[in-house]
Amino acid sequence: MTDALLTGGAGFIGCRLAARLVEDGARVRVVDSLHPQVHPDRQRPADLPDEAELVVADVTEAATWEAVLDGFTPDVVVHLAAETGTGQSFDQSSRHGLVNVVGTTRLLDALLQRVPPAHLVLPSSRAVYGEGAWRAPDGSLVHPAARTKTDFEAQRWDPVGPDGAPLVPVPARATTTEPRPTSVYGATKLAQEHVCAAWVSGTGTALSTFRLQNVYGAGQSLSNPYTGIVSLFCRLGLAKEQIDLYEDGQVLRDFVHVDDVVRSIAAGIADPPAAPRTLDVGSGTAVTIRQLAEEIVALTGAPEPLVSGRWRVGDVRAASCDP
């Protein structure tokens, strides 16, 4: 089918996408640093197909791309390499900026020195929306400001309108919802989007941006504390430990299975756009973290969840999309 380069391709989504592209007949080359937070043993993942060539290297280093692109001119590049921890991004802002922004520009510089790919695919994040759009009692749409430390300490969980009126969350739509990230991670992902959009305007490369909701599925790390709330709750449930529900347990999320994400990206690769496109990838259904915890408790026999009232800076109250 094509020659495909996957950055961060040894990760949870990357391994499954590599397998799908190999199945479709692509020659796949993967570059991944095998960061110990994701790969504690620093070994090639068992889920990465044997047919995919793996180059272990850091995307932020210019020298990486000499090795990655040696004798390999990709038709499509899927840029998965990214730091993804929302809370961690406040503690390690430089790391997120370096990998997510500088890593992207290093890749683009190297591609421009050769033959730019026909298609660049950027898996982005629902984090770029921040709190997203909410509907006011009069039917108008409001983009509320990020919740502050003062709001959290006072347990004011739901955003309110400028007049203090209660609001109802609205699923995100890439065509209408304004990106207003509330975390450093979300800001770096939005920067990625802007950098890629500016770059393709000068190369003629097709650009597909996929804003992913909360991805989960078999094979997701149960040891990485920043990999996602589904795996965190599963780890606690399997250990028969009590699941701690932040805020009041009514935080809303859209959980999308990794197989659906891979199908979406593969479909996008098979049908490059004539003009840059940005699409939301999610289940289209918002559930509370309490509902998620109760499902896992029922499956594992763990104690009933605890609503602790704890909170985390940068978290949004509601995140879902209309795919």
Side-chain angles (χ1 to χ4, degrees), residues 7-8 33 35 57-61 65 79-84 92-107 122 185 188-189 192:
T7 73
S33 67
H35 194 283
D58 186 339
V59 297
T60 67
E61 301 291 339
W65 302 105
H79 187 37
L80 284 157
E83 294 293 342
T84 60
Q92 301 184 23
S93 299
S94 295
R95 177 178 162 192
H96 279 70
L98 183 63
V99 175
N100 296 356
V101 182
V102 176
T104 300
T105 56
R106 292 286 196 200
L107 164 66
L122 177 64
Y185 164 63
T188 60
K189 292 301 289 185
Q192 269 190 339

Side-chain angles (χ1 to χ4, degrees), residues 7 13 17 77-86 100-101 104 120-130 172 174 177-181 183-197 207-215 254 256 261-262 264-265 277-282 321:
T7 73
I13 298 173
L17 180 60
V77 174
V78 183
H79 187 37
L80 284 157
E83 294 293 342
T84 60
T86 299
N100 296 356
V101 182
T104 300
L120 175 61
V121 179
L122 177 64
S124 187
S125 170
R126 56 92 179 161
V128 303
Y129 292 122
T177 306
E178 295 178 19
R180 294 188 181 187
S183 67
V184 173
Y185 164 63
T188 60
K189 292 301 289 185
L190 185 58
Q192 269 190 339
E193 292 188 15
H194 289 318
V195 167
C196 289
L207 175 62
S208 296
T209 300
F210 294 90
R211 290 174 177 163
L212 310 182
Q213 294 289 317
N214 286 57
V215 186
D254 181 333
V256 57
V261 171
V262 167
S264 298
I265 295 174
R277 67 181 167 197
T278 302
L279 301 172
D280 295 298
V281 179
C321 75

Side-chain angles (χ1 to χ4, degrees), residues 138-209:
D138 63 2
S140 62
L141 286 181
V142 177
H143 284 75
R147 297 178 297 170
T148 65
K149 182 180 178 182
T150 301
D151 292 328
F152 287 124
E153 289 175 340
Q155 298 191 344
R156 291 192 293 266
W157 307 128
D158 287 312
V160 296
D163 57 356
L167 304 171
V168 177
V170 176
R173 301 185 72 171
T175 52
T176 57
T177 306
E178 295 178 19
R180 294 188 181 187
T182 58
S183 67
V184 173
Y185 164 63
T188 60
K189 292 301 289 185
L190 185 58
Q192 269 190 339
E193 292 188 15
H194 289 318
V195 167
C196 289
W199 188 81
V200 300
S201 68
T203 64
T205 299
L207 175 62
S208 296
T209 300

